[in-house]
């Protein structure tokens, strides 16, 4: 029996159109999928979805498991009532809609996402709690790492955070920072 040939398109999520600095999982993503289907395409190949580190390459991520917060739709957060259109429109995401300005994105979008999180009360959602429990095997150390990285940006670069390939929970600096920073930065327990 002959195999049916199929084709598709490679398009990173970040390349989808967006008025808020970077493509994300929003209405435009669904419209793109509909356009692919209408064109007879079978596949949409994307790049890795993890949070990017220095250089903003999707192939250099801080986590294999965490999603990139830049791909959270600000428009959906406006619809949910945890952000306002005015707040989102007031952020400078750069002048060129055809290019992502990662410096401006980092400065502005993360502040908006923090506001949305604090207003959302998601930490009271049973599904969110379930996710935290089921994914605790990687989530706790990831939250700690990101919190320490934010509070002391160069510590992790000098192997003082994770000496001798140990876990992030054993070094002295991790013990000093574990709960205050992880709770403030990534999650509430």
């Amino acid at each position: 029996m002959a195999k049916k040939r199929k084709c598709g398109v490679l398009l990173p999520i970040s390349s989808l159109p967006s008025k808020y600095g970077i493509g994300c999982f929003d209405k435009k993503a669904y419209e793109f999928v509909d356009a692919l289907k209408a064109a007879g395409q079978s596949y949409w190949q994307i790049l890795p979805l993890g949070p990017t580190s220095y250089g903003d390459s999707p192939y250099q991520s801080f986590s294999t498991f965490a999603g990139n917060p830049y791909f959270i739709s600000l428009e959906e957060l406006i619809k949910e009532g945890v952000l306002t259109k005015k707040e989102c429109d007031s952020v400078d995401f750069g002048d060129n809609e055809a290019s992502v300005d990662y410096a401006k994105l980092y400065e502005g979008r993360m502040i908006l996402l923090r506001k949305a999180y604090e207003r959302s009360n998601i930490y009271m959602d049973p599904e969110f709690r379930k996710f935290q429990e089921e994914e605790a095997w990687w989530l706790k150390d990831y939250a700690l790492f990101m919190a320490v990285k934010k509070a002391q940006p160069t510590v992790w670069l000098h192997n003082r955070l994770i000496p001798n390939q140990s876990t992030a929970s054993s070094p002295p600096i991790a013990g000093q920072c574990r709960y205050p920073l992880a709770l403030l930065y990534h999650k509430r327990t």
Side-chain angles (χ1 to χ4, degrees):
M1 176 177 268
K3 291 184 179 181
K4 184 177 177 185
R5 296 180 81 179
K6 295 182 179 186
C7 60
V9 173
L10 167 65
L11 179 78
I13 300 295
S14 61
S15 295
L16 290 167
S18 173
K19 64 187 268 183
Y20 296 122
I22 193 169
C24 60
F25 292 110
D26 63 3
K27 188 172 102 175
K28 296 290 185 188
Y30 287 95
E31 290 172 357
F32 182 69
V33 170
D34 291 341
L36 287 176
K37 184 176 179 182
Q41 302 293 306
S42 300
Y43 300 105
W44 175 12
Q45 182 177 352
I46 58 176
L47 299 184
L49 301 174
T52 56
S53 69
Y54 299 103
D56 296 298
S57 168
Y59 298 104
Q60 184 180 6
S61 179
F62 289 121
S63 173
T64 301
F65 306 106
N68 191 329
Y70 293 156
F71 297 154
I72 296 171
S73 170
L74 296 184
E75 290 176 350
E76 287 299 315
L77 296 176
I78 293 168
K79 285 180 191 174
E80 289 178 23
V82 294
L83 288 177
T84 67
K85 186 173 181 339
K86 183 178 178 182
E87 287 172 324
C88 295
D89 290 344
S90 70
V91 174
D92 178 10
F93 289 111
D95 299 330
N96 184 352
E97 288 187 20
S99 178
V100 176
D101 186 330
Y102 282 98
K104 289 185 177 184
L105 193 67
Y106 179 78
E107 292 169 10
R109 195 174 188 99
M110 296 310 287
I111 291 168
L112 292 172
L113 292 174
R114 171 58 54 199
K115 281 182 186 180
Y117 171 78
E118 289 171 354
R119 294 171 182 168
S120 72
N121 293 325
I122 193 168
Y123 56 90
M124 298 180 73
D125 183 316
E127 288 297 314
F128 181 70
R129 291 278 192 198
K130 182 179 176 187
F131 170 80
Q132 286 181 309
E133 290 170 16
E134 291 175 355
E135 304 300 323
W137 62 274
W138 68 268
L139 185 59
K140 287 182 179 182
D141 281 341
Y142 172 70
L144 173 63
F145 172 79
M146 294 302 288
V148 171
K149 181 183 148 319
K150 181 175 176 132
Q152 299 183 13
T154 60
V155 168
W156 70 280
L157 292 172
H158 301 292
N159 285 334
R160 290 186 294 175
L161 176 61
I162 309 176
N164 302 323
Q165 305 291 326
S166 65
T167 66
S169 59
S170 62
I173 194 165
Q176 295 167 11
C177 301
R178 174 173 290 281
Y179 294 106
L181 290 175
L183 293 177
L184 288 174
Y185 187 74
H186 266 293
K187 65 186 186 88
R188 293 184 187 191
T189 57

